[in-house]
Amino acid sequence: MKVRVPRVKAKDVIHDWHLFPGDEVQVIGGPPKLRGQTGKIVASVKKMNAVVIDGVNMAKKHIRPNPIQPRGSIVSKPMPVNYSDVQILDPVFKQPTPARLIKVWDAVGRKMVPQRFLELSQTHLPLPKRKSPIEPYDESKLDTPKDFVSQVTFQASIMESPFPPMFWNQLERSRRNNQEGQAL
């Protein structure tokens, strides 16, 4: 079953996020029962401008009886909290602080690097590294050996055509027929 997500209008979508999964955050707004709770961000729901925090805003979900669980069950799961109701916990003071994205010159990489600036302790917090879409590959015994792959099996020559002569004859014949048809 697919969960329907209430979308935010296109003009209201937040483009520059400074909260990422794994960050320790505290809820500072929203319903009174949520205020002051802390936890780690599990996921971000960008279509809703919300984040899912572990152990915060828990809801009970009833699961129907099925072959795996013949009696059914009730499961608690965290629900999204609005992005604007959450602030990152400063690692120095352990208090919620506003954060913003800034660009800092990286002397090692010799380029501008985006970082998060925490206003309470005036410190920079690096963005988490993105996971590579290419997963590491373990070689198996069915793979072609590397030395065989690196062998040159075809030498291109200017003198020889890559196509057989019969192909060129047929191509020339069809070109002539098209020219004769246009001349009539």
Side-chain angles (χ1 to χ4, degrees):
M1 182 173 113
K2 188 174 180 182
V3 178
R4 288 192 174 191
V5 177
R7 290 181 175 224
V8 177
K9 292 180 182 176
K11 66 176 184 161
D12 296 331
V13 172
I14 298 170
H15 296 287
D16 297 328
W17 282 60
H18 59 268
L19 298 176
F20 298 95
D23 287 343
E24 191 74 29
V25 294
Q26 182 173 353
V27 181
I28 59 161
K33 69 174 187 165
L34 295 181
R35 290 185 196 148
Q37 293 185 9
T38 62
K40 281 195 175 197
I41 295 179
V42 178
S44 58
V45 187
K46 295 195 176 186
K47 290 179 182 176
M48 284 178 56
N49 284 348
V51 291
V52 178
I53 305 169
D54 191 30
V56 176
N57 199 17
M58 300 299 283
K60 295 193 184 289
K61 181 177 180 184
H62 296 263
I63 298 176
R64 289 182 177 180
N66 57 39
I68 298 169
Q69 295 177 334
R71 294 186 62 210
S73 65
I74 300 172
V75 178
S76 292
K77 68 178 222 172
M79 297 301 286
V81 178
N82 197 326
Y83 180 84
S84 63
D85 294 340
V86 175
Q87 281 189 348
I88 193 164
L89 280 179
D90 196 314
V92 178
F93 297 112
K94 300 291 183 197
Q95 292 182 348
T97 179
R100 58 189 168 143
L101 287 175
I102 60 169
K103 292 200 174 190
V104 179
W105 176 254
D106 180 24
V108 177
R110 300 185 50 80
K111 61 181 177 180
M112 297 296 280
V113 178
Q115 287 190 345
R116 296 178 282 183
F117 179 73
L118 305 178
E119 295 181 6
L120 186 63
S121 63
Q122 301 289 312
T123 57
H124 297 277
L125 196 61
L127 294 176
K129 296 195 180 211
R130 292 184 177 172
K131 293 180 181 174
S132 174
I134 300 171
E135 297 177 8
Y137 177 73
D138 296 330
E139 292 187 28
S140 72
K141 62 181 181 181
L142 300 176
D143 290 342
T144 307
K146 289 184 180 178
D147 57 336
F148 186 74
V149 171
S150 63
Q151 289 179 359
V152 178
T153 57
F154 174 75
Q155 291 289 336
S157 171
I158 299 174
M159 303 305 286
E160 294 179 20
S161 169
F163 301 106
M166 192 169 144
F167 171 79
W168 287 114
N169 294 341
Q170 199 172 13
L171 188 67
E172 184 65 26
R173 218 174 290 123
S174 65
R175 190 180 63 80
R176 284 187 196 148
N177 289 341
N178 286 343
Q179 285 180 351
E180 288 174 6
Q182 290 175 357
L184 295 176

